[in-house]
Amino acid sequence: TADIARGNLDGAINYRSLDEVGELCQSFEQMRLQLKDAQTLRQRYENNRKELIANISHDLKTPITSIRGYVQGMMEGVARTPDKEQKYMQIIYNNSVEMERLIDELFLFSKLDLKQLDFNFEPVNIEAFLRDCAEEKGYELESNGIQVSYIGSYPSQAPVIADRKRLQRVINNIIINAEQHCDRSKPLSWLEIVLLENETEAIIEIKDNGHGIPAENLPYIFDRLYRGDPARSRQSGGSGLGLSIAKQIIEAHGGRIWAESEENAGTSIFLTLPKVKPETVPETVNEADK
């Protein structure tokens, strides 16, 4: 007990007697093991927190350095023509947007990690929602040579319980991740949003024909700070938080999320959302969503 009080939790408490003293020793041993587990978990969280700060600091330093360099160039008169000045301004703007995105992602992750993020759950027409997502992202990605399409097979037309804003964030994070890892060597890059269902859930699959994920890395892609290829992620602006945020949001919805992938063929991210039970669906929900 003196060792435990000093924080030494490595020494097992051995006992032979089965009387009251033995029961007391058994209780202390169980307490030691529980404290040891808590200590290990706390250390893992602390290491993750340090790694998170280091990664975000690195990611923020890159756009800050770029902004400072181009601002200094403008102050020193390097941008001597309106075209060059406009180019510098565009680069500064793009980097400031990237900084804002990183800070917003870190803030959201922190709120989720502390269970302090509020959700506004409501019945959602998932077919109309996904069609809108595909149309909106299609316009954005078309200029990057990526075709986006929606495929639906959802006979029940049952609404799901979801927070529209948070679900949009999940879809965006998955699509951004797919965009960052698309295979430019292929003649056509594409992304499909597929809607299926089972008896109690809507099943959404977001699939691409990108580089794919090695089998040994697949179990870890939803971990915080995971980067399958750190060098490429740095270049494309990946913070390593996007899929972790998606996982936490989907689990807060009572759903599931997982991935299937084949190298050089593409990746599918699956997520599920619970359907609204028929007796709880407002009569006007479908019309309102449309």
Side-chain angles (χ1 to χ4, degrees):
T1 59
D3 282 344
I4 292 173
R6 286 192 294 268
N8 179 14
L9 304 174
D10 294 324
I13 299 175
N14 301 310
Y15 57 92
R16 296 180 181 178
S17 62
L18 301 178
D19 55 11
E20 292 87 346
V21 174
E23 291 178 359
L24 178 63
C25 291
Q26 183 182 31
S27 297
F28 270 108
E29 175 63 5
Q30 290 174 347
M31 179 185 69
R32 183 191 71 83
L33 292 173
Q34 291 175 357
L35 288 171
K36 180 69 175 176
D37 289 342
Q39 185 184 68
T40 302
L41 182 63
R42 185 171 63 251
Q43 185 61 47
R44 187 160 66 245
Y45 273 123
E46 182 63 25
N47 291 339
N48 283 343
R49 191 175 297 110
K50 290 178 180 177
E51 188 178 357
L52 174 65
I53 292 172
N55 277 271
I56 292 296
S57 298
H58 184 285
D59 289 335
L60 286 173
K61 184 178 180 180
T62 301
I64 289 174
T65 301
S66 178
I67 289 172
R68 184 177 63 185
Y70 281 100
V71 168
Q72 183 176 353
M74 294 180 68
M75 292 172 63
E76 293 175 355
V78 175
R80 300 180 184 278
T81 66
D83 287 344
K84 198 166 186 179
E85 183 175 327
Q86 179 62 32
K87 180 181 178 181
Y88 276 34
M89 293 296 290
Q90 186 64 49
I91 293 173
I92 292 169
Y93 173 78
N94 292 342
N95 278 280
S96 66
V97 169
E98 175 63 12
M99 284 179 57
E100 184 180 23
R101 186 188 67 80
L102 287 168
I103 293 169
D104 178 58
E105 201 164 70
L106 178 60
F107 178 75
L108 177 59
F109 178 83
S110 300
K111 297 284 281 187
L112 284 164
D113 206 35
L114 295 171
K115 310 296 183 186
Q116 294 180 349
L117 188 67
D118 294 328
F119 287 87
N120 180 28
F121 294 112
E122 59 179 331
V124 173
N125 182 328
I126 191 62
E127 292 182 284
F129 181 88
L130 293 178
R131 282 197 197 96
D132 289 343
C133 286
E135 183 176 358
E136 178 185 340
K137 301 306 293 186
Y139 288 131
E140 294 180 18
L141 298 183
E142 186 177 2
S143 60
N144 290 334
I146 302 175
Q147 292 185 0
V148 180
S149 59
Y150 166 76
I151 302 172
S153 178
Y154 199 69
S156 72
Q157 298 186 336
V160 299
I161 292 295
D163 180 316
R164 293 173 182 272
K165 179 180 177 182
R166 308 304 180 195
L167 182 57
Q168 182 71 61
R169 183 60 177 263
V170 170
I171 302 295
N172 287 346
N173 282 9
I174 295 173
I175 290 177
I176 288 171
N177 187 76
E179 180 185 7
Q180 290 170 348
H181 298 89
C182 69
D183 189 347
R184 298 295 181 183
S185 66
K186 294 179 179 178
L188 175 65
S189 294
W190 52 260
L191 187 147
E192 292 179 350
I193 301 176
V194 182
L195 175 63
L196 303 169
E197 65 179 328
N198 59 29
E199 187 174 344
T200 60
E201 299 170 311
I203 304 171
I204 303 167
E205 177 187 6
I206 302 176
K207 60 190 298 186
D208 63 64
N209 67 334
H211 291 283
I213 301 169
E216 64 271 18
N217 293 343
L218 200 57
Y220 308 108
I221 66 170
F222 296 104
D223 291 353
R224 67 180 77 185
L225 305 175
Y226 170 80
R227 298 172 192 256
D229 183 341
R232 189 167 63 227
S233 294
R234 295 288 189 198
Q235 293 167 2
S236 57
S239 69
L241 294 176
L243 292 183
S244 178
I245 288 172
K247 179 183 178 181
Q248 292 189 68
I249 291 176
I250 290 300
E251 290 180 346
H253 279 70
R256 301 172 290 130
I257 187 168
W258 71 95
E260 296 176 3
S261 185
E262 182 180 347
E263 285 192 83
N264 301 317
T267 301
S268 288
I269 304 291
F270 295 87
L271 56 98
T272 68
L273 295 168
K275 295 178 182 177
V276 178
K277 295 180 180 179
E279 62 271 17
T280 64
V281 181
E283 294 182 2
T284 59
V285 65
N286 288 332
E287 289 301 322
D289 281 332
K290 292 178 182 177

